[in-house]
Amino acid sequence: MTYRAPVSEMLFALRHVAGLDATLGEALTLDDVRTILDEAARVADGVIAPLNRVGDRHGTPLTDGAITTAPGWREAYRTWTEGGWNGLSADPDHGGQGLPLLLNAACTEMWNAASIAFGLCPLLTAGGIEALAQHGSEDLKARYLGKLVSGGWTATMNLTEPQAGSDLALLRSRAEPVGDGRYRIVGAKIYITYGEHDLTDNIVHLVLARLKDAPAGTRGISLFLVPKILPDGSRNDLRCSGLEHKLGIHGSPTCSMAFGDAGGAIGWLIGEENRGLACMFTMMNSARLNVGLQGVGIAERATQAALTYARERRQGKAPGAQGPSAIVAHADVQRMLLTMKAYTAAARGICYLTAAALDAAKGPEGQGAHDRASLLTPVAKAFSTDIANEVTSLGVQVHGGMGFVEETGAAQHMRDARILGIYEGTNGIQAIDLVSRKLPLQGGATVRAQIAGLRRVAEGLLKDADSAYGHMAARLRAGIESLDRATSFQLAALASNRPETALAGATPYLRLFGLVQGAACLAREARAARAALQAGETDPAHAGRIALARFFAENELTAASGLADSVIDGGGFTETAALALAG
């Protein structure tokens, strides 16, 4: 099934949810944005998307330490980098175009809708660029940033070890200073995305390791830049020691990496000794938003595939029909398709809001926008990837038995989506981060301000008093009150030193936050669509946007009250979990 980037829907969300128009001016006009998105869509639709199935079937075979990507991937990557897409939002001082991260977020969605396995490689490079730009020495930046920004070289993130997954305190890889600013790195890493490949002639590994006599735990971890090819052109002492055989993303190599077989791979320190985790989190925070956008992208592709199939497949007779009907005419199929489309649009809005906050943090708003981005990032990552799993599963269901057959592509979407809630910090970790670290920002003022903004959206719906909204305003107000109630409970639990109580409800709290924030995003689109219709625009998509927002509020947001109850009353399971799980 082909993919067509929904440029008009993306642009509408950029403008009316994320506030794109406020960033426009002589340097970047709305026509410029349209042109960029149209060109990105041309590359995503015509160059990358046709290779998605090829990558899934071919995989990434490892022979004598070298990995071969699927046929056509090297050429596609070259086309993509030559278009300047890797440096869209990067600093012009290092060869980037300096465009808003918000615009890059829309393009990132396209690359990953076209093929998550392809989009993973530049996703890690983007994080590496940010970590190096913020923490690297001037010499390292001069030597490596230009090639990374252009896409001529790629970057990886080397955290996980066989005994150290999410708990990096258990990390054993070690580093020893050579004496001339270089270090020798020895250790083994697993789950390294694009740790070896044939798309570029050099790979820049960012590796966490311990120095001798470093403090125990995470306080003693340093970050090193360890290139595959050293500056003198020789091969570094590192190799891909194995390849994982995975449920999905077959076109993306997931490698085991060995550093120091012959005495130590040469690396250079990024940031300060024993402060590597802070540097790596710069990379991970960038990656978490991009993984959320992966969720949006695969959900969009699965929705397009299901809708196309539902319009073509005839079975049964809908009420009033004279003969067999396309299954899109049946109410339950409509429910599934609307659920898929609404969740995708809601997650898109949350991710775009997060990108806009990151852009705003670089301007006059500063810390306030930074805190808002910090609050939204775990929601963008976890909610968007959770719904990606749900939407792709519904896509299989819409296809019926053919969804379970590989040739339709629906099964691949479901397989590819499953990793998204696991890597770059599992969604359970995102919920813990949201509750324990982000809700207390500014003494709770950041989340309170976000909830106040949600209330303004609901008040706008009430002011419009449009019958086309149905119960949207009432449902949104009720959802906001549920979120407010659950937020007060979580903040009180943290303030009274009861973290276990707050963490027991962390996952339902994140889901509640995502539902309400997503509903508000759709409501903002509905209000903008209503205004356009009243101004005389005749685009039928406007009525569809109102209908979609109404569906989400009346059919999905109704879960908000129950989720709040789970947050407040459901934490008692921790007292009896051992009994229930015994045996």
Side-chain angles (χ1 to χ4, degrees), residues 325-346:
S325 303
I327 63 172
V328 72
H330 298 297
D332 194 57
V333 175
Q334 292 172 348
R335 176 193 61 79
M336 289 190 286
L337 292 169
L338 285 167
T339 300
M340 296 171 74
K341 188 169 185 178
Y343 269 119
T344 302

Side-chain angles (χ1 to χ4, degrees), residues 1 298-308 337 340-341 344 391:
M1 186 276 176
I298 194 66
E300 173 65 37
R301 185 159 190 174
T303 299
Q304 289 188 20
L307 186 55
T308 298
L337 292 169
M340 296 171 74
K341 188 169 185 178
T344 302
V391 167

Side-chain angles (χ1 to χ4, degrees), residues 232-413:
D232 64 4
S234 63
R235 176 70 183 255
N236 208 348
D237 183 13
L238 60 89
R239 63 185 175 87
C240 173
S241 57
L243 199 63
E244 303 298 340
H245 301 281
K246 303 166 295 187
L247 176 67
I249 54 168
H250 293 156
S252 165
T254 302
C255 304
S256 300
M257 299 296 298
F259 295 87
D261 285 350
I266 297 298
W268 288 264
L269 182 69
I270 295 179
E272 300 176 16
E273 291 185 353
N274 304 324
R275 299 277 296 168
L277 208 55
C279 301
M280 185 62 85
F281 268 111
T282 298
M283 188 176 189
M284 290 184 69
N285 284 335
S286 170
R288 283 172 175 173
L289 171 58
N290 286 333
V291 171
L293 289 161
Q294 286 190 302
V296 177
I298 194 66
E300 173 65 37
R301 185 159 190 174
T303 299
Q304 289 188 20
L307 186 55
T308 298
Y309 183 82
R311 287 169 173 163
E312 296 172 350
R313 171 66 167 162
R314 293 187 171 275
Q315 185 167 312
K317 188 165 68 173
Q322 298 301 311
S325 303
I327 63 172
V328 72
H330 298 297
D332 194 57
V333 175
Q334 292 172 348
R335 176 193 61 79
M336 289 190 286
L337 292 169
L338 285 167
T339 300
M340 296 171 74
K341 188 169 185 178
Y343 269 119
T344 302
R348 176 181 291 127
I350 294 171
C351 287
Y352 287 6
L353 273 179
T354 307
L358 289 167
D359 282 330
K362 302 173 185 176
E365 191 178 352
Q367 189 62 44
H370 180 272
D371 288 345
R372 186 167 69 254
S374 295
L375 175 71
L376 289 173
T377 294
V379 182
K381 193 277 183 183
F383 181 78
S384 300
T385 56
D386 278 343
I387 70 95
N389 279 288
E390 295 166 23
V391 167
T392 54
S393 180
L394 280 172
V396 172
Q397 190 72 20
V398 170
H399 281 80
M402 286 304 297
F404 204 69
V405 176
E406 288 288 350
E407 69 182 75
T408 64
Q412 183 189 343
H413 301 327

Side-chain angles (χ1 to χ4, degrees), residues 118-144:
F118 183 93
L120 264 173
C121 188
L123 186 154
L124 271 298
T125 302
I129 290 169
E130 190 162 349
L132 186 56
Q134 289 195 32
H135 304 288
S137 67
E138 293 304 316
D139 178 63
L140 285 180
K141 287 191 281 190
R143 190 182 302 168
Y144 290 99

Side-chain angles (χ1 to χ4, degrees), residues 206-236:
L206 299 190
V207 183
L208 289 179
R210 292 185 184 281
L211 290 162
K212 185 179 180 181
D213 300 326
T218 57
R219 293 180 300 119
I221 297 174
S222 300
L223 179 63
F224 300 89
L225 185 152
V226 187
K228 173 182 174 181
I229 305 297
L230 292 166
D232 64 4
S234 63
R235 176 70 183 255
N236 208 348

Side-chain angles (χ1 to χ4, degrees), residues 76-92:
Y77 184 77
R78 188 179 307 116
T79 297
W80 186 80
T81 54
E82 288 174 352
W85 297 110
N86 199 61
L88 198 66
S89 60
D91 191 333

